[in-house]
Amino acid sequence: MPKQKAYYIIDFDSTFTQVEALDELARISLKNHPDKEAIFQKIEDYTNFAMEGKLSFSESLAQRVKLLEANEDHLKQLIKHLKKKVSTSFSRNAEFFKKHADEVLIVSGGFKEFITPVVSQYHIKKENIYANTFVTTGDGKIIDYDHANPLSEEGGKVKLLQHLKLEGELFGIGDGYSDFQLRESGIINKFFAFTENIARESIVSKADHVTPSFDEFLYVNDLPRAISYPKNRILCLVIGEVDPLTISILKNDGLSIRHKTSFEEKYVKDVGIILLANGEKIDREQLKNAAKLKTIGYLGSAKNKIDLNLCTKQGIVVFDDPKNNPRNIDFIPKRVADFMNTGATYLSSNFPNLQLPKIEKSHRLIHIHKNVPGIMAKINTVFAKHDINIVSQFLMTNSEIGYAITDINTQYDKQLFKSLKKIEQTIKFRVLY
């Protein structure tokens, strides 16, 4: 039986973009208004009441447009602003939208006037953008919206999709009540609550799946994506007293953070990254059992606090700050994030130092192995057997290990990974993107 065609119904505000566009438009149009703060608050309240299902969408929309006092010049400023505010995980997966242009629909209670210029950059077809439209006066003032558009009404997304009669498997991605209504009405097969920008508890609790990023959505549905493994699935354990700014760098990178006073046993098998406050220690037994641990960031000198030799043997990259410079609060988390994103071991304490630019339209594979002769020949034999074309390849070694990064530009199958992991003397293997 042929597979059903899939459609991806994507919300705009706080989903495709990081912000609520009408709230942002108000900040532009009311910039010089004496009561601007009070009006901003009212507009934000109306937005949230509708998103949480506490106020009908049509009532919320009417009240917000009335308060805006906006014109076409304000819209131009808004569009420029929104283009810089596309959600990070959507922008890095631009290739997905190009490949699936026929199946992606933007369905929003927002307005075409600002949505179309933003999403069109991502190859989303104009005919697949469904949203409200403003009513303007001859001199460009926004005075109202088209009340005949079903998307301006309560349950508008449901009415629109009933009218479209799409046949196939329908996935909804959004952050608000109007997105959940599609699932509640039975029109879509699955609702994914998108929480990269905002998590509304009343919506999250009703979702089929919570997706902290678009990478997560693509991963669970086995769709092509920019990074192989969603960052929100990587557990980052922060231990001890650490400056919140230091933690925020890793949190903003999309990692799943747990802040604890000690390295609890329940995290040993699953932790991918550890960030340690100065003075904290990790014992050898825990290090030995931390099979998924890829890197440790130490906020001070790691000497006598971590067994660096054991870390090297286990393929764990360590970054520390031997001079213990208190002004360097962003140095270690940035090094850790850079390693996770690009494989760069620059300024690490125990690994050969390697720093590489990201190569577009390629997949980056990392192979850590014991430094014995002939390993690279074996790695390249595996690539040759799988007809893989190598774009670039780098190897750095020290007395203990070899650290190899290979960029390939072809699609691969899972068997390739198995073959690379089976090479004798392999310590760790992973795909970055």
Side-chain angles (χ1 to χ4, degrees), residues 279-416:
E280 297 291 338
K281 290 183 178 182
I282 298 182
D283 67 50
R284 282 178 58 86
E285 210 50 44
Q286 287 178 315
L287 271 179
K288 276 183 186 173
N289 294 326
K292 292 182 182 176
L293 185 57
K294 295 165 184 68
T295 179
I296 297 172
Y298 198 94
L299 300 167
S301 172
K303 199 177 176 185
N304 303 323
K305 302 290 192 304
I306 303 171
D307 188 330
L308 289 175
N309 193 38
L310 178 60
C311 285
T312 306
K313 284 178 178 171
Q314 300 223 158
I316 300 163
V317 181
V318 179
F319 297 94
D320 74 341
D321 183 12
K323 291 180 181 173
N324 196 15
N325 187 343
R327 286 177 296 181
N328 277 357
I329 57 169
D330 63 345
F331 171 73
I332 298 297
K334 280 182 177 173
R335 292 270 65 77
V336 166
D338 198 27
F339 167 71
M340 293 302 290
N341 295 331
T342 71
T345 51
Y346 178 61
L347 296 178
S348 81
S349 320
N350 67 326
F351 254 58
N353 272 221
L354 192 52
Q355 191 174 28
L356 298 172
K358 187 170 180 176
I359 294 173
E360 291 301 312
K361 296 182 180 175
S362 69
H363 305 285
R364 178 161 289 179
L365 315 180
I366 288 185
H367 193 277
I368 303 169
H369 51 268
K370 288 179 185 172
N371 186 12
V372 295
I375 299 283
M376 286 309 290
K378 288 177 183 175
I379 289 172
N380 289 334
T381 300
V382 169
F383 286 132
K385 277 183 183 169
H386 285 81
D387 295 320
I388 297 290
N389 181 37
I390 296 171
V391 179
S392 63
Q393 192 170 50
F394 299 87
L395 169 71
M396 291 284 279
T397 61
N398 63 20
S399 58
E400 290 281 345
I401 57 160
Y403 183 63
I405 292 184
T406 308
D407 291 317
I408 61 173
N409 66 357
T410 40
Q411 286 302 316
Y412 50 79
D413 59 37
K414 301 275 165 68
Q415 197 53 49
L416 171 70

Side-chain angles (χ1 to χ4, degrees), residues 163-178:
H163 172 72
L164 290 177
K165 294 187 173 73
L166 297 173
E167 286 188 19
E169 196 171 11
L170 274 61
F171 299 97
I173 308 161
D175 65 291
Y177 183 66
S178 61

Side-chain angles (χ1 to χ4, degrees), residues 53-234:
K54 293 173 182 172
L55 184 71
S56 80
F57 184 79
S58 51
E59 181 61 22
S60 162
L61 189 64
Q63 294 296 345
R64 284 181 285 162
V65 171
K66 210 182 284 180
L67 291 165
L68 276 175
E69 295 183 24
N71 60 40
E72 285 173 352
D73 184 51
H74 296 138
L75 269 179
K76 284 177 190 167
Q77 293 175 55
L78 174 68
I79 291 161
K80 199 175 173 183
H81 175 62
L82 291 178
K83 283 181 176 179
K84 295 173 188 167
K85 289 287 181 182
V86 172
S87 295
T88 312
S89 63
F90 277 98
S91 61
R92 76 167 148 256
N93 284 291
E95 199 60 30
F96 170 83
F97 296 107
K98 196 175 181 178
K99 282 183 183 168
H100 294 270
D102 291 330
E103 298 97 60
V104 172
L105 278 70
I106 299 292
V107 178
S108 171
F111 289 82
K112 275 190 181 182
E113 287 85 349
F114 54 72
I115 293 174
T116 302
V118 175
V119 302
S120 295
Q121 304 176 110
Y122 290 84
H123 312 282
I124 292 166
K125 295 181 173 180
K126 285 186 172 67
E127 60 267 31
N128 286 358
I129 301 166
Y130 297 91
N132 283 300
T133 51
F134 286 122
V135 173
T136 56
T137 58
D139 60 354
K141 278 184 189 152
I142 294 167
I143 51 164
D144 204 353
Y145 59 89
D146 176 10
H147 290 255
N149 188 325
L151 286 166
S152 70
E153 300 165 21
E154 177 56 27
K157 291 188 180 184
V158 172
K159 289 171 191 169
L160 174 80
L161 265 88
Q162 281 170 337
H163 172 72
L164 290 177
K165 294 187 173 73
L166 297 173
E167 286 188 19
E169 196 171 11
L170 274 61
F171 299 97
I173 308 161
D175 65 291
Y177 183 66
S178 61
D179 305 300
F180 165 67
Q181 282 178 320
L182 292 172
R183 181 72 172 97
E184 196 178 33
S185 64
I187 289 177
I188 62 173
N189 300 72
K190 274 189 183 174
F191 168 56
F192 291 79
F194 187 79
T195 59
E196 186 171 320
N197 306 307
I198 187 165
R200 305 179 200 276
E201 195 40 53
S202 57
I203 309 305
V204 165
S205 60
K206 295 168 182 165
D208 293 297
H209 191 91
V210 177
T211 180
S213 66
F214 192 53
D215 307 298
E216 170 74 7
F217 172 80
L218 297 173
Y219 178 79
V220 297
N221 291 297
D222 201 20
L223 292 162
R225 54 198 175 272
I227 56 175
S228 299
Y229 192 72
K231 291 183 195 174
N232 56 272
R233 287 180 173 243
I234 299 170

